[in-house]
């Protein structure tokens, strides 16, 4: 089996045999178990308790008015970032509970851990020169503490959602969501502080710097951690074996974070923004597009197994595994009686899940992947029947 892309991983187990094609499956089976594909309820309980404590902290030290205004302002860049992540996640959408957990971890748990470390380190930094203390805090403490706090969230998603964490694109999505949540709460702190200390003018400047010029900063930093874990997942690594890539990813995020903060502390921020940060962001976007292309190629490869066995035609494989084919298919389905675009999207969704399940079976990292593969095959065939039926 050829894997020409440098982003690909070789197979780690013999693929399960594809059953011979059948004319139809009358009843669509239920979706596979959510175990290993959803966040545990106790995690959300911890987040709720921590959120109440964080809200009390904000309201006590920033006041109700400043906190509310800052939250409204922070929602603007968050909305844009979440929309961008949604575009990346459209090929094979991740489970909703895991995405919510990722944002919640960043917005509550990671911020809470960072604030706790700030309180513990403050007495140590208080005995040295204030300018040096600020530089150490911005360039060393903040990148290390914040990226580790966010990285713990990405690793938690890797553990709890192991059966949904399929590869680099998934890792980038979860890392980006954790980073987006962290940036949202951090923006509330910055915007409210600017409002209290400098009024509308200072708040406008802070919003321009954080909400317009750098809304994707934390997203990029934590996506490096997610990408590293995604490569480990694609290679079939168990949690213990994934620790090395996870740490390497966090180190990469820390370096980028420290470089970003250092440009504001030691150099001309705007000059480095244009000459360094903008190219980094462009490189990040190109990297994501390449990962999406790799995801499309893997979908094509896995569905081709079913073409050989007679379950799909080559035309269906090309339609399901390319963005252009999907757009054309949905547009065609809208012209059918009653507008069957929703049925076409269901066919695309189930077929993509089938390909992902087969890839997990091939890597050998998911003992239940073969069962999932059978279920998604039945669901895909049933969805096609509903699309083309009366």
């Amino acid at each position: 089996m050829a894997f020409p892309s440098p982003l690909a991983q070789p197979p780690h187990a013999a693929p399960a045999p594809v059953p011979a094609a059948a004319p139809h499956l009358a009843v669509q089976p239920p979706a596979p178990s959510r175990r290993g594909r959803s966040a545990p309820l106790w995690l959300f309980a911890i987040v709720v308790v921590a959120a109440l404590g964080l809200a009390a902290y904000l309201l006590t030290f920033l006041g109700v008015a400043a906190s509310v205004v800052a939250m409204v302002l922070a929602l603007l860049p968050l909305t844009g970032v979440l929309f961008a992540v949604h575009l990346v996640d459209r090929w094979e959408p991740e489970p909703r509970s895991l995405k919510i957990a990722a944002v919640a971890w960043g917005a509550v748990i990671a911020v809470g851990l960072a604030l706790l470390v700030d309180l513990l380190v403050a007495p140590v930094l208080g005995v040295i020169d204030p300018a040096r203390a600020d530089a150490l805090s911005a360039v060393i403490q903040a990148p290390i503490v914040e990226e580790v706090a966010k990285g713990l969230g990405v690793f938690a998603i890797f553990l709890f959602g192991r059966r949904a964490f399929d590869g680099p694109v998934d890792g980038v999505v979860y890392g980006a969501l954790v980073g987006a949540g962290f940036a949202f709460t951090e923006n509330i702190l910055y915007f409210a502080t600017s409002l209290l200390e400098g009024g509308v003018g200072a708040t406008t400047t802070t919003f321009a710097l954080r909400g317009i010029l750098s809304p994707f900063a934390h997203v990029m930093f934590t996506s490096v951690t997610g990408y590293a874990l995604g490569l480990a997942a694609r290679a079939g690594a168990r949690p213990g074996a994934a620790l090395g890539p996870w740490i390497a990813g966090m180190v990469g995020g820390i370096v980028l974070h420290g470089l970003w903060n250092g440009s504001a502390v030691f150099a001309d921020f705007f000059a480095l923004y244009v000459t360094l940060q903008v190219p980094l962001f462009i490189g990040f976007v190109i990297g994501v597009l390449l990962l999406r292309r790799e995801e499309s190629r893997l979908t094509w490869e896995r569905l081709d197994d079913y073409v050989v066995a007679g379950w799909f035609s080559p035309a269906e494989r090309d339609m399901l595994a390319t963005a252009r084919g999907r757009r054309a298919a949905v547009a065609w389905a809208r012209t059918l009686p009653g507008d069957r675009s929703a049925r076409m999207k269901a066919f695309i969704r189930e077929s993509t899940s089938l390909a992902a399940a087969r890839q997990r079976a091939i890597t050998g990292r998911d003992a239940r992947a073969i069962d999932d593969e059978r279920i998604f095959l039945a669901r895909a065939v049933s969805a096609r029947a509903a699309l083309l039926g009366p």
Side-chain angles (χ1 to χ4, degrees), residues 79-93 99 173 177 292:
T79 301
V81 169
L82 292 181
F83 178 73
V85 176
H86 168 72
L87 294 179
V88 176
D89 189 44
R90 286 176 64 186
W91 188 265
E92 186 210 352
K99 292 190 287 188
V173 167
L177 291 174
R292 279 288 302 270

Side-chain angles (χ1 to χ4, degrees), residues 3 25 33 42 54 60-61 69 75 97 106 134 157 161 173-174 192 198 249 259 271 275 297 336 347 363 371 373 389:
F3 283 80
L25 295 175
S33 169
W42 60 262
L54 185 60
T60 299
F61 291 97
V69 171
L75 283 172
S97 72
D134 289 342
I157 298 296
V173 167
Y174 290 127
L259 185 64
T275 60
R297 189 191 65 78
L336 298 178
F347 179 41
T363 62
D371 292 334
E373 188 179 354

Side-chain angles (χ1 to χ4, degrees), residues 240-267:
L243 287 175
W246 173 60
I247 293 173
M250 286 194 296
V251 170
I254 289 169
V255 171
L256 289 179
H257 197 158
L259 185 64
W260 179 275
N261 288 1
S263 67
V265 175
F266 298 117

